[in-house]
């Protein structure tokens, strides 16, 4: 946990992006705790075998703002609610919105959409640019009972998407965990690769962690993909790499058909065919329970991945 915390607090660095680091840590008994307005420090912190993500990790949250939140909490006690937070601090609306979207206010028992609605009542959007620039805070309104509404809960997929966008990771959800029930049964998981014989055909799906195309590899592309259980190496020969270049470069979640290669010792998957993983039906509330509601098109999940040459 200490090693992971140090890595997170010194990003950007190294080969692996933060979401890969935390997923590996979770597979090794380290629990990742999301940002919490009453528990998080400015940077990530260690609590036994737990790592709490710091407030400064949230997009649009400056180190100065994170320090201000922690200092106010230390001096005047924990925040009692989102309203109490807004009254005590002059925080830009976008910063507070992002804190809501990554779950920093979940401790108050409100759903994230309800918290966003409340924030809109506390900080009306219409304000002069001159005044907003001068105060760095939108005018504070007092919501009344008739302003309260009941909103549908945010799905696990939407929460995960927002967390990847704003934290570069999701402390709770891996996208492949939420997508697994939608994939064909023949699609293997990384945990099952040891049982596949050399030369055997297989299909696997995962999140693209990195792509490498060394000049000495004569056009061969090497990819590292990740599912909820681990990592897998994929080798793409030049003809296929060239033919599927756009799909490989632009899709974060890929389905790969190929064959197992154990000739060199390490397990490699020799790619034969690529397709993008369909996320249009992901309306999950939890991996076990599907929320009611129609499917809708979604923006591309775009976690950090690296291209090396």
């Amino acid at each position: 946990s200490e090693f992971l915390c140090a890595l997170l607090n010194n990003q950007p660095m190294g080969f692996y992006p933060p979401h890969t680091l935390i997923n590996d840590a979770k597979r090794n008994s380290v629990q990742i705790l999301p940002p919490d307005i009453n528990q998080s420090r400015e940077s990530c912190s260690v609590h036994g075998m737990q790592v709490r993500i710091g407030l400064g990790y949230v997009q649009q949250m400056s180190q100065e703002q994170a320090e201000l939140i922690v200092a106010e909490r230390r001096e005047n006690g924990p925040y009692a609610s989102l309203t109490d937070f807004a009254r005590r601090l002059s925080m830009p609306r976008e910063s507070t919105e992002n804190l809501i979207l990554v779950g920093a206010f979940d401790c108050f028992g409100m759903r994230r959409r309800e918290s966003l609605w409340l924030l809109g009542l506390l900080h009306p959007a219409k304000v002069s640019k001159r005044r907003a620039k001068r105060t760095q805070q939108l005018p504070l309104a007092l919501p009344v009972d008739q302003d309260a509404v009941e909103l549908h809960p945010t799905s696990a997929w939407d929460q995960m998407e927002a967390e990847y966008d704003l934290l570069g990771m999701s402390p709770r959800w891996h996208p492949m965990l939420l997508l697994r029930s939608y994939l064909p049964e023949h699609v293997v998981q990384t945990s099952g690769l040891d049982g596949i014989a050399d030369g055997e055909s297989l299909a696997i799906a995962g999140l693209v962690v990195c792509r490498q195309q060394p000049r000495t590899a004569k056009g061969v592309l090497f990819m590292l993909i990740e599912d909820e259980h681990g990592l897998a190496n994929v080798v793409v020969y030049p003809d296929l790499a060239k033919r599927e270049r756009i799909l490989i470069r632009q899709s974060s979640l890929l389905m790969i058909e190929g064959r197992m290669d154990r000739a060199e010792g390490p397990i490699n998957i020799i790619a034969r065919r690529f397709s993008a993983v369909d996320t249009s039906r992901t309306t999950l509330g939890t991996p076990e329970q599907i929320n009611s509601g129609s499917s809708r098109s979604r923006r591309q999940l775009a976690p950090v991945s690296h291209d090396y040459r």
Side-chain angles (χ1 to χ4, degrees):
S1 54
E2 290 85 356
F3 181 52
L4 171 67
C5 185
L7 290 175
L8 294 177
N9 285 336
N10 285 278
Q11 292 294 317
M13 62 170 291
F15 186 84
Y16 297 105
H19 62 88
T20 302
L21 295 174
I22 70 157
N23 289 330
D24 182 69
K26 285 192 285 186
R27 292 189 289 268
N28 287 278
S29 302
V30 176
Q31 184 180 2
I32 311 301
L33 303 176
D36 186 290
I37 203 66
N38 278 328
Q39 300 294 329
S40 289
R41 302 174 188 172
E42 301 91 333
S43 56
C44 299
S45 55
V46 177
H47 309 272
M49 286 297 289
Q50 300 175 327
V51 174
R52 172 77 69 180
I53 304 302
L55 298 174
Y57 232 84
V58 182
Q59 197 173 101
Q60 300 299 324
M61 177 64 60
S62 68
Q63 183 69 17
E64 181 181 5
Q65 290 170 346
E67 290 174 354
L68 182 63
I69 292 172
V70 175
E72 167 63 24
R73 189 180 72 204
R74 186 183 300 117
E75 183 175 346
N76 297 306
Y79 301 103
S81 63
L82 174 59
T83 302
D84 181 47
F85 173 84
R87 285 170 174 161
R88 288 165 61 176
L89 291 173
S90 297
M91 196 64 57
R93 175 171 172 165
E94 185 176 10
S95 299
T96 307
E97 283 182 350
N98 290 351
L99 286 170
I100 291 171
L101 288 169
V102 300
F105 291 95
D106 288 358
C107 56
F108 300 130
M110 293 184 67
R111 296 168 177 169
R112 296 183 191 183
R113 282 180 178 158
E114 293 171 341
S115 294
L116 289 171
W117 178 274
L118 176 59
L119 181 66
L121 300 177
L122 296 170
H123 295 302
K126 292 182 179 180
V127 61
S128 70
K129 293 183 178 179
R130 180 180 299 176
R131 182 180 179 187
K133 184 176 181 180
R134 184 176 67 250
T135 65
Q136 291 296 303
Q137 183 186 24
L138 298 176
L140 187 64
L142 294 177
V144 294
D145 290 342
Q146 58 263 37
D147 292 323
V149 295
E150 184 176 352
L151 301 171
H152 290 294
T154 309
S155 71
W157 182 268
D158 285 336
Q159 289 184 23
M160 181 273 301
E161 261 191 341
E163 289 164 0
Y164 267 91
D165 282 346
L166 300 175
L167 289 175
M169 66 179 81
S170 177
R172 184 176 182 187
W173 306 111
H174 191 288
M176 293 308 303
L177 175 66
L178 300 179
L179 290 167
R180 183 63 61 186
S181 62
Y182 293 108
L183 299 177
E185 291 185 2
H186 70 276
V187 177
V188 300
Q189 302 175 29
T190 55
S191 57
L193 290 177
D194 286 338
I196 298 177
D198 184 42
E200 187 176 343
S201 296
L202 74 152
I204 192 169
L207 181 69
V208 178
V209 174
C210 67
R211 312 167 191 85
Q212 300 178 78
Q213 199 167 25
R215 296 183 185 276
T216 56
K218 299 180 179 179
V220 176
L221 176 69
F222 301 95
M223 300 177 63
L224 187 65
I225 65 168
E226 179 189 61
D227 66 9
E228 67 272 38
H229 298 291
L231 300 163
N233 298 311
V234 179
V235 179
V236 190
Y237 285 120
D239 288 347
L240 179 60
K242 184 177 180 180
R243 186 167 66 250
E244 298 289 357
R245 181 177 181 275
I246 295 178
L247 180 62
I248 291 172
R249 298 290 179 182
Q250 295 184 358
S251 296
S252 297
L253 293 162
L254 285 173
M255 176 93 72
I256 302 166
E257 297 177 52
R259 64 175 175 84
M260 177 62 70
D261 178 23
R262 297 175 178 272
E264 301 297 328
I267 293 177
N268 291 303
I269 299 167
I270 308 300
R272 291 173 174 165
R273 187 175 295 106
F274 288 93
S275 59
V277 175
D278 180 16
T279 63
S280 62
R281 295 173 295 172
T282 49
T283 55
L284 288 176
T286 69
E288 298 80 22
Q289 181 180 12
I290 301 177
N291 288 342
S292 61
S294 60
S295 301
R296 56 189 175 87
S297 60
R298 296 176 179 274
R299 53 192 167 83
Q300 169 74 14
L301 177 67
V304 173
S305 63
H306 299 296
D307 291 312
Y308 296 97
R309 291 187 179 272

